[in-house]
Amino acid sequence: MNPRRASIAAAGAALCLALSFAASRLYGPVFIEGLERKAVAARDAAGGQGIALAFRDRYGWYTRHPILSGGRRLDAATRTRVALAVAEVPGIGGVSWARDSDGVPAVTTLHCQDDVQTILQTRTIRFSEASARIDPASERLLDEVAHALRPCVGSIIAVTGHTDGGGNSEANVALSKARAEAVRWALVGRGIPADGLRATGVGARDPIPGLDPLDPANRRIEFSVITSAPVKPTPIDTPGPG
């Protein structure tokens, strides 16, 4: 790049960064205070007055991903209800629980992965034949899946596509990946943040245990919460849909 253009680009980038930081200092606290008021109201309405909400991450930056702590005397159902209520506040990007002194999550009742598996035990996300186009009949099922995954927003959620063992293995991998991507974007359209979803396809590599690899039941989409995703230290997350 021409040195003069490079210096102009660098100056422009520095200016944008400075303006972004200034805007966060001016508007970040106001925005987060508003979110916090709504979150506290949602918490109290759900019966979680003993639960604290922190809207700053470990670096001290304001965040739309509050950390919940306390309320150890509350039963699991109440804690889950509180987390769901806070997560559903418009503008909240997701919730997580603080860890105790042993590094273990203070609460483990957000069983979103188990909930999704329960939903999919008797029903399957269907696609058009040899295609990644989601069958319209599966739209309602995807609504349920998105709702069940919402408590895990803020974690990395893997969406894995599988096929049966028939046909070309490379084509199966490509098709399974395309279908996983289709489901990923369907969930994004239902409010699950794109940056927390990872789509992959494994073709016929992992058939259901005890099932013939050629059985059509191996054609499936699976979900797994693979890790908690720390929020990147930014001055203020951009407000977005819940």
Side-chain angles (χ1 to χ4, degrees):
M1 179 184 290
N2 181 288
R4 182 170 180 274
R5 290 184 179 179
S7 62
I8 292 174
L15 178 60
C16 289
L17 182 61
L19 290 174
S20 173
F21 183 76
S24 72
R25 294 295 297 273
L26 288 171
Y27 300 111
V30 175
F31 173 68
I32 291 300
E33 284 173 9
L35 269 189
E36 187 170 5
R37 284 195 297 272
K38 295 175 183 177
V40 167
R43 177 203 66 187
D44 292 349
Q49 287 85 346
I51 295 174
L53 305 175
F55 280 84
R56 286 178 182 261
D57 63 20
R58 58 180 177 171
Y59 303 97
W61 296 112
Y62 291 109
T63 177
R64 295 189 301 120
H65 299 69
I67 299 172
L68 282 60
S69 61
R72 301 288 300 195
R73 295 183 179 180
L74 299 175
D75 60 74
T78 300
R79 291 160 72 82
T80 299
R81 186 172 64 249
V82 170
L84 284 169
V86 173
E88 289 176 357
V89 171
I92 295 288
V95 302
S96 60
W97 288 92
R99 295 175 178 269
D100 62 22
S101 58
D102 298 321
V104 177
V107 103
T108 56
T109 56
L110 299 182
H111 299 301
C112 53
Q113 181 175 332
D114 294 339
D115 291 343
V116 171
Q117 289 174 343
T118 299
I119 291 171
L120 297 178
Q121 275 181 354
T122 57
R123 291 175 290 169
T124 303
I125 299 172
R126 298 187 179 277
F127 301 84
S128 299
E129 185 69 24
S131 165
R133 180 178 178 274
I134 297 173
D135 190 310
S138 292
E139 294 294 331
R140 179 153 191 160
L141 177 56
L142 283 167
D143 290 341
E144 294 180 38
V145 169
H147 182 75
L149 286 174
R150 190 164 183 77
C152 282
V153 167
S155 297
I156 300 298
I157 301 169
V159 183
T160 306
H162 300 262
T163 68
D164 61 31
N168 178 274
S169 60
E170 292 184 3
N172 283 341
V173 170
L175 178 60
S176 62
K177 173 66 181 296
R179 287 179 169 177
E181 283 285 2
V183 170
R184 175 178 180 266
W185 285 110
L187 294 174
V188 170
R190 288 165 169 78
I192 304 298
D195 59 359
L197 294 168
R198 303 287 187 273
T200 187
V202 297
R205 188 186 70 194
D206 298 322
I208 296 172
L211 205 61
D212 185 329
L214 294 176
D215 193 311
N218 287 305
R219 303 170 190 167
R220 66 199 190 278
I221 296 290
E222 292 184 337
F223 299 86
S224 57
V225 181
I226 55 180
T227 185
S228 286
V231 180
K232 291 182 180 179
T234 53
I236 180 68
D237 297 329
T238 303

